Each structure stands twice: as C-alpha cells, then as structure tokens.
Amino acid sequence: MKRFAFKMILKKGCEKEYARRHAAIWPELKQMLKEQGISDYSIFWDKETNLLFAVQKCSKETNSQDTTQVDPITQKWWDMMADIMEVNPDNSPVSIPLEELFHLD
C-alpha cells in the first residue's frame, strides 16, 4: 500500500462551501474511489494559507489526482468544485504532490 500526499488551493471565502460539499460527497464518487484502490483519504485545511493538504492510501498505481484516465464521475465532481478551488484548464484541481520524508506506523 502506497501513501500519496498533495496540496491544493482553496479560494478565499469558500471554506464553508468546500466543507459543505464534501459533507455531502456523492456515494458513486466514494464507490469509484474505492474501486480505484484509494482508501484512508483525508483532507486538512490550513486556515493561515488556505491550502488543503490531502493524504490517501493507494493499493494500485493511480491516485485521486491522476488526470490521465478521468472517469465521468470524477470529471463531474471537478466541474462542480471548480468555482471554489484553483483549477487547471480541464477543471482538475491544481494539485501539488508532496514528497514523504518521514512515516511512523
């Protein structure tokens, strides 16, 4: 099992809306993530910088930020989230991978 961490940029003033949308995450999106081998997925918010820090476990070679084979459910989610996050031209979130330097089980 591989861990994957990344950061994203939340637009100022959109913190409550981001939390609201994730509190009502679509069941089909959750199922699709599980089918892709993604588990133990958390997103944290740094209030001082408005950066989102995410970490997930991946049992396959892909992760939730992989834009090479985007399914329609993920694309729809990205399209819905585009107004409150910094995004790329395809509406995928600007996602900066982070290198793991330490881990303790």
Side-chain angles (χ1 to χ4, degrees):
M1 187 78 58
K2 179 182 169 185
R3 285 180 306 281
F4 177 69
F6 56 98
K7 61 183 178 179
M8 301 173 289
I9 305 162
L10 183 60
K11 291 181 179 177
K12 192 162 185 71
C14 296
E15 303 83 3
K16 288 182 183 177
E17 183 60 20
Y18 183 89
R20 185 191 71 75
R21 291 180 191 184
H22 277 77
I25 193 168
W26 308 329
E28 62 269 29
L29 180 58
K30 287 170 58 175
Q31 182 62 36
M32 187 270 315
L33 288 168
K34 289 179 184 180
E35 289 171 4
Q36 289 181 346
I38 297 167
S39 63
D40 198 11
Y41 187 177
S42 297
I43 301 173
F44 300 88
W45 172 44
D46 181 343
K47 294 178 184 181
E48 292 178 14
T49 63
N50 241 27
L51 289 177
L52 300 168
F53 166 76
V55 62
Q56 57 192 227
K57 290 184 179 176
C58 308
S59 65
K60 299 180 182 178
E61 291 301 312
T62 189
N63 61 66
S64 68
Q65 302 306 292
D66 185 355
T67 59
T68 58
Q69 296 179 2
V70 180
D71 62 276
I73 297 169
T74 299
Q75 186 63 59
K76 186 177 174 184
W77 180 261
W78 287 349
D79 293 345
M80 182 191 69
M81 298 299 287
D83 64 324
I84 62 173
M85 300 180 68
E86 296 295 325
V87 297
N88 296 304
D90 65 354
N91 279 346
S92 64
V94 171
S95 178
I96 302 124
L98 300 172
E99 182 179 348
E100 182 175 309
L101 296 179
F102 174 78
H103 175 76
L104 175 68
D105 271 327

